[in-house]
Structures are given as structure tokens and as C-alpha cells.
Amino acid sequence: MNAAVRAVVRMGIYVGAKVYFIHEGYQGMVDGGDNIKEATWESVSSMLQVGGTVIGSARCKEFRTREGRLKAAHNLVEHGITNLCVIGGDGSLTGANLFREEWSGLLAQLVDQGLIDNEAAERYSALHIVGMVGSIDNDFCGTDMTIGTDSALHRIIEVVDAIMTTAQSHQRTFVLEVMGRHCGYLALVSALACGADWVLIPEMPPEDGWEDKMCQKLSATRSRGSRLNIIIVAEGAIDRHGKPITSSFVKDLVVRNLGFDTRVTILGHVQRGGTPSAFDRILASRMGVEAVMALLETTANTPAYVVSLCGNQSVRLPLMECVQMTQEVQKAMDEKRFEEAVKLRGRSFENNLKTYKLLAHRKPESQLPRSNFNVAVLNVGAPAAGMNAAVRSAVRVGISEGHKMFAVNDGFEGFYKGQLREIKWADVGGWTGQGGSLLGTKRTLPAKYLDKIAEQIRNHNINALLVIGGFEAVECLLQLFDARARFEEFCIPMCMLPATISNNVPGTDLSIGADTALNAIVETCDRIKQSASGTKRRVFIIETMGGYCGYLASVGGLAAGADAAYIYEEPFDIRDLQSNVEHLTEKMKTSIQRGLVLRNENSNENYTTDFIYQLYSEEGRGVFDCRKNVLGHMQQGGAPSPFDRNFGTKIAAKAMQWITKKLQETYRQGRVFANTEDSACLLGMRRRALIFQPVVQLKDETDFIHRIPKEQWWLKLRPLMKILAKYKTSYDVSDSGQLEHVVRNRPKDLDASAI
């Protein structure tokens, strides 16, 4: 929430508005006085890394009454406030809309009571409202991710990862209770992200007789050699008859039926606290700026908006349409129309549930289809967190579709050396939380070894290929595609999933691993800023990875509150460096006496990190001192973030379903033969859709020398970072959200909101 507050204040000041804080939510609006204070640029400094909300929040009974709202209206008119930006859940937003609808009546009442004159009533005749949804439950329809959800998932996954090690040691079963009285999103996504054995959520209560099924599943997992079981329960979980299912009930059930050593952990308010994740900071900063833009464009006739994110795109939605849809979900659950409740939650929720069911519940051998196809999975390029989650998902979906799955160790190098082996369902258990690449990965390209790779494909009768990797994976697929004319063995369906921390793959907005790397950068920047705050008048120059792609430096800069980020895509010269130094010199005269500058490793061959450090040290002499820090390979390691686990899991499942479809289409006269462009694809996320794109068609939009796409969406976020760092710059409004309406479910192809 603080990132959103900071963005609204700074963007508001940037466009020339007077911005006020209303402390303690609606209670502060009703009480007035010191609760309503003008905000300054410095008053929102150092709050990006703080959890909760620094302006306070409170439930307010008084605001639910007309008298309370009358007091609030009087306080707003006294300060000349007619634009409200409300950050909260559906209750806060519904209250704001009611307030807006009553506004003219409230003003008339204030005139009658002699509290304001007619002129004031005329001048402040319209109240404009824009909402941003802040709720860890992600229970608001119309938006893919609410502010706070990703950070709550981080807290849950940190706990689950820690619990898994102790459960493994003691061969224990753990029942974890997570928040979600009316919405099972946190439970469902954390179950997906840690590969839990069972999950209980309010939207989809288990069928009658679930107790025996769950116990059978747990003992089957143990008999296959697993030393632990994880069961995740949403606090609002119920059975088909509306009876609550508590974590202690589940524990007693397991102990009674199976005799397993079982423990309960209730996460409680841990999920609400802690430092916000990189995703939440970027989401909140984008939404905050979008909210100010929306308020500037409102007229007396526009409805109250919610600004939100759909896939990777900003959208504006009528507030009450979203609220009505959210209430419909609860109504459907109360009336036991559970299938409909899941659908109403939106595509993202529905897809999560489908994917979880696909991966968690193994069908008995007798029920599996037999396809007689062999599919190979391999990692290429540098390791990226989330690769293992993608491999696990691909292997399990492949087995469910009836294929025989093969794992290739060490990329194409291992391929030509014959390092292929069949990989089974149980072999990938516990892989989601592991960082790096368990299969092993190399940067070796196949061009030199085509004959040997073709021989291995022949020997193992490989009918399709799934390549998970970065820019090298695109080059590999292009080389294999070009070799089809000479080697029939490569005339098989091939699919690539983007996995690289640099996020430099053409054809996709996001890559597996980039979110984890961003969190590593932001975490380090937070610590560095803290150290700089202590010593005062200090500027840190931080070098990030990314090759020639400035994604990590730019988006990391936005999330960490950097003063500048130097990247290859936006050329800079000595004059830019000079103006940055002058900007920091001015900043040191204020109460914010520290600076943070990010530099992408290949942003300029002459203006190196050392050069910039020495320049800043010399030019800032007597005003500030400098330190430099090269983050290096710590950006590649670590446990994958919830987003990367989820993203990897879901796109791998989608890719395997595409491979199955292609295998069926291209199987003729006893063999697979696929030589068309659309049989070698990259699965990428573009704005709000997940799209399969033939790699050949991506050639034209790729700069192969610098290994980056020619056009990159995140460059539009750079002015945001500059504005929030107090630079005068032009803001491109072409990317701001357009007003849309809440639809029940989007057409089939648009399921990137599935992320």
C-alpha cells in the first residue's frame, strides 16, 4: 500500500495538484482536524520497503451512517478536496461509491445547516473517486492481482519452505492454515507453488467422502518414498454441506486414520506483515500513477473507477460492476453453486484450480491414456529460478496425457552425448521450491552436433521436444528448424518456454526467473539504502546483470526507489551523468540524504561502473561520498519466488497440452512428421494473452547481436521511475488503461490472466 501512496503523492505533485493524506482511513475523514494533512515530496520518502500502511487504516462505524458521511463531506470541502483515491478492499470501495452518490445531497444539507455557503457548494459540486484494490486475499473480481497478495504469498512460501525441511527430517505431516475467510486464492496458489498433497478452499468444497480419499493420497505419497505431507487449509474452508473444515479437524483425521505424526501451523497475521515484494511495489507504483491519470480525466458523468492489472496491462473498470461480481461469488457459494463460484472468480482462479488438480492427483496407471509418444525435456542457457517447477509440471502433465517423458541432462551438450533417461512422476516430487536447474543446463548450441543429436532422437524415438531456457533456447530452436531440410529427425513438434533472469527473450513480456532476480536486487537495495540512511550523504552505485537488456536495472530501480538507472537501450552521455550528479547534489540539501543509482552491466562499454563511481566521487566531493556494489551471481540463485513457481508451472502445463495436440495432428502412417513453421513455437505472455508464436516469425523482431528484442514493453515504465525520483520528464499516456467492463469470462485464447 505504501508504494501506492508514494506514487499517488508524487504523481499528484508532478501534475501540479495539491495532495492530502487522510490518516486512519474513513475514521480520519470523519474526525478531520490533524488527520487531514497536506503531503510533500519528502513525506513519502523511505516508505517503499515498509509493510502495512504508514498513513494508517481503521474500520469506521460512523462512516456507515449518513451523519458520519456528512461530517466527512464537510471536512473535505474545508480542505477543497474533490478527488479521492481510495486504497482498500470491496468494503472501503463500496463505501466510497455510496459517498460519491450522496455527495450533492450532503452538500445541500451542509448549506441548509449553514456550515458551507452556496459558492463552496457550487465550486465543489462533484466528487471524483478512483479505487485501488489493496487486499491480501485477492478476492476482488475484475483484477488479476490485488496489492498485497504477492507479498502474502512470499510470507506463506517462506514458511512452507522452512517447514518442509523439518517435516522431511522427522517424516511428519503438516497442516497449514492460511488466511482467506471467503476466498481460497492464497491457499490454492501456495498449494500450487509448493506442490502440496491436498488443499481445502471455500469455493470448491471437496466431494463427500473426501476424508478417505485424502488419507489414501497421503499414504500413497509416503509409500512412493516421500518423507513428508503438506496439507493447506484456507481458514474459510467448508464441506459440501457448509460445515467448516478446520485445521485441527484435518490433523485429528490424519492421526486417527493413518497414525502419522502430524502438526498444525496457523500462519495468521504473519501473512499481512513484512516487506512488500518487488511485484507488489511495481504493481502499486503503476496503479498509483494510473489512478492520478484517471482522476485527471474524470468528468461529472464518469462512474467511480477501479484501476487494475489484467495480465500485464493496466485497465480501468467501473467500481460497482466489480463489487457486484465479487458479491455474486459469495452468493453462488451460499447457494452451493460451487462450479459457478469458481468461474465468477475469474480465469486466473479457474486456471490455478485446473492446474493444481492436474499436477497433484496422479491417476492410476490403468486410467491413463496410452499415447506411445516420447517427449524430451531439457534446460538451455544460464540457470533461472522456476526452471525446476516448469520441468516438474511438464513431466507430470506429459505422464497424465499418456506420454513417456525423457529428461535430458546438461542441455544440448548432454543431448548429443546421450545423457537421456526416462523420468517418472515421483522423480520430480519436491522440485517446485528448488532454485537453479536440477537437470543441469549449458549454453552449448546444437549447430555443431546436429548429426549426433539426430542420432539420439532416432535411438530414443523422441517425438517432441520441450526446451526451457533463455535467449540461447530461441537460437537452438531456430538452428533445429533450419536443419529440418537435412535431418528428418527434427521434423517433430518443438516448444520453448522463456526462462532467464535477464527477461530478454523476444515474443514474451515476462520470463521465468526474472521475478526472483528482481526480488534479490530489491532486497539488497533495501539493505544498502538503510546503511546509506545511517551514514547520511551517501550515494550507492549498484551494478545489475542482464547482458544488454536493461529490464532488471529499470524495473528493479522502480521497485527500489532508485534515483537513476543506466541501460543500453536508452543511450546516455556525459551530460546525462552530469545532470544526475547535480540532481543528487540538490537532493542532499533536503531531508532525504542518500542516493541509489543502478547500472546494467553492459549499458556502456566506456562508462563502466568504476568510471561512474569515480565521476560521482569527484563531482560530489564535499557534498556526498560514494560506494559501489556489484550484485553478480546472487541474482541467479535462491529459491524461486511464488510468481516464478506459479508462472513456470502454468506455462509448462499449457505447453505440454499444445505438444499433445500437435503430436495428434502430425501423426501419419505410423510416425510423427511436423515441418511447418507453427510446429516450432515459443510460448510467451503478451500484454494479457498467452500466445504460441513460431520462432521463425520472431527473427525480425530480434536484435541477435545484443541478444534483446527490438521492442520492449517495460521501457514505458522508465518515465515512471524518473517522475517518482523528481525528474522533469514527459509521461507517455498511450499505455494508460482504457475503461472496460467486467465480463463474466474472456474468450478462450485470452487466458494470460491465468498467471
Side-chain angles (χ1 to χ4, degrees):
M1 276 185 173
N2 290 325
V5 170
R6 170 180 177 266
V8 170
V9 168
R10 292 195 168 173
M11 189 67 185
I13 293 170
Y14 168 81
V15 298
K18 221 177 192 185
V19 186
Y20 288 89
F21 285 140
I22 298 180
H23 291 272
E24 312 309 334
Y26 287 130
Q27 191 66 55
M29 201 192 286
V30 172
D31 296 345
D34 281 348
N35 288 310
I36 304 176
K37 282 185 187 154
E38 191 174 347
T40 63
W41 193 273
E42 280 94 46
S43 61
V44 290
S45 140
S46 300
M47 62 197 273
L48 264 176
Q49 65 273 25
V50 181
T53 167
V54 296
I55 58 171
S57 175
R59 297 189 189 278
C60 177
K61 280 185 184 166
E62 221 177 327
F63 192 74
R64 291 180 185 173
T65 65
R66 189 169 169 95
E67 290 72 38
R69 292 192 290 278
L70 190 68
K71 283 184 195 169
H74 185 214
N75 288 326
L76 291 190
V77 171
E78 279 194 327
H79 289 88
I81 299 171
T82 53
N83 293 295
L84 269 189
C85 182
V86 182
I87 310 169
D90 60 341
S92 313
L93 297 174
T94 311
N97 191 61
L98 175 64
F99 190 40
R100 177 182 156 277
E101 285 171 354
E102 287 183 355
W103 183 254
S104 49
L106 292 169
L107 290 195
Q109 209 172 326
L110 288 170
V111 172
D112 291 347
Q113 290 179 9
L115 292 169
I116 61 170
D117 55 24
N118 282 319
E119 189 193 337
E122 192 62 42
R123 190 179 326 143
Y124 307 122
S125 60
L127 178 70
H128 304 302
I129 282 174
V130 168
M132 280 185 273
V133 193
S135 154
I136 67 162
D137 291 341
N138 202 20
D139 57 355
F140 197 76
C141 293
T143 172
D144 281 352
M145 269 301 229
T146 56
I147 297 167
T149 305
D150 189 65
S151 301
L153 284 172
H154 272 259
R155 297 298 90 78
I156 295 169
I157 293 303
E158 281 160 18
V159 171
V160 173
D161 285 353
I163 277 175
M164 277 176 130
T165 51
T166 167
Q168 196 107 30
S169 312
H170 295 279
Q171 295 202 36
R172 280 191 177 138
T173 295
F174 268 87
V175 182
L176 256 84
E177 185 181 300
V178 299
M179 279 186 167
R181 264 202 312 274
H182 306 293
C183 177
Y185 184 88
L186 289 178
L188 180 55
V189 176
S190 45
L192 200 54
C194 73
D197 295 290
W198 202 267
V199 65
L200 293 158
I201 56 171
E203 289 87 347
M204 188 47 78
E207 301 288 344
D208 288 344
W210 64 273
E211 296 91 340
D212 293 338
K213 275 190 189 149
M214 183 184 79
C215 291
Q216 281 164 12
K217 167 90 197 302
L218 299 182
S219 62
T221 311
R222 285 289 176 96
S223 64
R224 285 199 296 272
S226 172
R227 295 174 59 86
L228 80 162
N229 301 112
I230 299 278
I231 301 161
I232 295 185
V233 185
E235 60 179 335
I238 49 171
D239 65 15
R240 290 266 150 180
H241 311 288
K243 191 170 147 251
I245 301 174
T246 62
S247 43
S248 52
F249 173 80
V250 175
K251 176 200 162 174
D252 295 342
L253 181 73
V254 175
V255 172
R256 191 171 63 246
N257 288 10
L258 299 171
F260 289 170
D261 185 1
T262 308
R263 298 282 189 275
V264 172
T265 298
I266 298 172
L267 294 188
H269 282 76
V270 166
Q271 297 158 83
R272 285 196 188 279
T275 307
S277 66
F279 182 95
D280 265 336
R281 297 184 200 192
I282 294 151
L283 171 69
S285 299
R286 283 175 75 180
M287 296 303 96
V289 169
E290 184 65 37
V292 173
M293 301 307 295
L295 282 171
L296 290 177
E297 291 164 27
T298 50
T299 63
N301 304 323
T302 34
Y305 288 143
V306 171
V307 290
S308 116
L309 204 61
C310 182
N312 190 29
Q313 188 182 0
S314 304
V315 291
R316 298 176 190 175
L317 301 161
L319 190 152
M320 286 321 287
E321 284 184 23
C322 297
V323 169
Q324 276 155 8
M325 183 77 93
T326 306
Q327 287 167 350
E328 271 185 54
V329 178
Q330 191 55 48
K331 196 170 164 215
M333 282 157 63
D334 293 343
E335 292 170 6
K336 300 190 171 51
R337 293 178 283 119
F338 298 114
E339 299 283 340
E340 197 179 332
V342 169
K343 274 198 164 44
L344 288 168
R345 275 268 180 250
R347 276 208 103 73
S348 167
F349 192 90
E350 205 180 349
N351 264 21
N352 282 324
L353 192 58
K354 274 185 195 154
T355 312
Y356 176 76
K357 283 178 176 171
L358 204 58
L359 297 174
H361 303 300
R362 182 185 181 179
K363 288 179 183 165
E365 295 285 330
S366 55
Q367 286 179 28
L368 289 174
R370 296 246 51 86
S371 76
N372 297 323
F373 291 127
N374 296 342
V375 181
V377 184
L378 70 161
N379 293 154
V380 174
M387 274 181 165
N388 300 320
V391 172
R392 167 187 176 266
S393 171
V395 167
R396 291 195 168 177
V397 173
I399 291 169
S400 301
E401 308 257 310
H403 311 317
K404 203 183 239 188
M405 299 300 295
F406 283 82
V408 182
N409 294 106
D410 300 337
F412 280 101
E413 192 171 306
F415 210 141
Y416 85 80
K417 289 178 180 171
Q419 294 173 9
L420 281 81
R421 60 187 167 86
E422 191 184 342
I423 187 163
K424 297 281 185 51
W425 185 282
D427 297 338
V428 289
W431 276 32
T432 38
Q434 308 269 348
S437 163
L438 293 170
L439 289 183
T441 180
K442 287 272 197 293
R443 293 179 184 272
T444 313
L445 299 179
K448 290 181 190 169
Y449 314 102
L450 290 169
D451 50 343
K452 289 182 178 172
I453 293 170
E455 190 187 330
Q456 293 298 339
I457 288 178
R458 215 169 35 248
N459 292 349
H460 291 88
N461 189 23
I462 300 297
N463 307 113
L465 210 52
L466 179 65
V467 182
I468 303 166
F471 197 89
E472 290 88 358
V474 178
E475 296 176 304
C476 292
L477 241 61
L478 284 168
Q479 289 178 2
L480 296 179
F481 181 83
D482 291 342
R484 279 177 169 178
R486 287 181 294 138
F487 297 93
E488 272 199 5
E489 288 82 355
F490 300 129
C491 294
I492 56 175
M494 296 186 273
C495 186
M496 178 210 151
L497 302 179
T500 165
I501 65 162
S502 307
N503 198 25
N504 63 335
V505 177
T508 185
D509 288 357
L510 297 170
S511 303
I512 299 166
D515 185 67
T516 306
L518 268 183
N519 277 295
I521 291 167
V522 168
E523 208 173 300
T524 310
C525 288
D526 285 351
R527 291 183 183 189
I528 284 171
K529 274 168 78 174
Q530 206 168 24
S531 109
S533 300
T535 44
K536 298 272 189 293
R537 299 183 177 281
R538 184 164 281 178
V539 174
F540 276 87
I541 319 286
I542 295 173
E543 183 186 297
T544 67
M545 286 172 115
Y548 284 96
C549 178
Y551 175 80
L552 290 179
S554 298
V555 182
L558 179 62
D563 295 283
Y566 300 122
I567 62 169
Y568 167 77
E569 292 91 341
E570 200 174 275
F572 57 97
D573 58 21
I574 197 73
R575 286 180 295 278
D576 298 309
L577 292 169
Q578 183 62 36
S579 80
N580 290 148
V581 171
E582 286 163 8
H583 185 268
L584 281 164
T585 307
E586 283 303 305
K587 187 178 175 183
M588 294 299 160
K589 293 174 185 169
T590 70
S591 57
I592 319 165
Q593 298 184 346
R594 54 169 169 64
L596 186 67
V597 175
L598 270 62
R599 178 189 172 272
N600 164 258
E601 57 185 350
N602 288 349
S603 55
N604 188 301
E605 58 182 325
N606 294 316
Y607 298 140
T608 60
T609 304
D610 281 334
F611 175 89
I612 293 174
Y613 162 66
Q614 284 160 352
L615 178 88
Y616 271 63
S617 298
E618 182 57 40
E619 295 294 317
R621 193 186 293 274
V623 183
F624 57 79
D625 64 349
C626 261
R627 294 287 183 275
K628 69 173 192 290
N629 201 323
V630 177
L631 297 185
H633 281 75
M634 61 161 281
Q635 295 161 83
Q636 261 182 18
S641 67
F643 182 90
D644 278 332
R645 297 180 192 199
N646 206 357
F647 186 46
T649 298
K650 285 201 274 197
I651 63 171
K654 197 170 172 64
M656 279 310 300
Q657 287 163 339
W658 177 87
I659 283 175
T660 301
K661 190 168 132 256
K662 283 285 170 214
L663 283 169
Q664 288 161 355
E665 285 171 11
T666 57
Y667 184 71
R668 299 186 199 92
Q669 287 140 15
R671 69 183 188 128
V672 171
F673 186 80
N675 65 348
T676 53
E677 284 186 0
D678 67 353
S679 61
C681 281
L682 175 147
L683 173 56
M685 178 184 179
R686 286 213 152 161
R687 290 179 85 77
R688 59 168 79 177
L690 282 172
I691 309 172
F692 289 95
Q693 301 146 95
V695 280
V696 181
Q697 292 173 19
L698 295 174
K699 265 184 176 173
D700 294 340
E701 50 187 88
T702 309
D703 171 354
F704 282 95
I705 295 165
H706 298 102
R707 300 157 62 86
I708 51 174
K710 287 178 185 169
E711 280 189 19
Q712 303 188 84
W713 68 274
W714 51 264
L715 285 168
K716 287 187 174 163
L717 295 181
R718 280 184 65 80
L720 233 71
M721 186 192 79
K722 291 176 186 171
I723 289 167
L724 298 178
K726 213 173 186 175
Y727 282 93
K728 292 280 175 274
T729 182
S730 61
Y731 180 61
D732 174 12
V733 292
S734 67
D735 204 38
S736 61
Q738 301 304 311
L739 176 62
E740 297 184 11
H741 290 280
V742 182
V743 283
R744 286 239 161 175
N745 250 338
R746 297 192 187 85
K748 266 275 177 349
D749 59 322
L750 294 186
D751 50 6
S753 42
I755 304 308

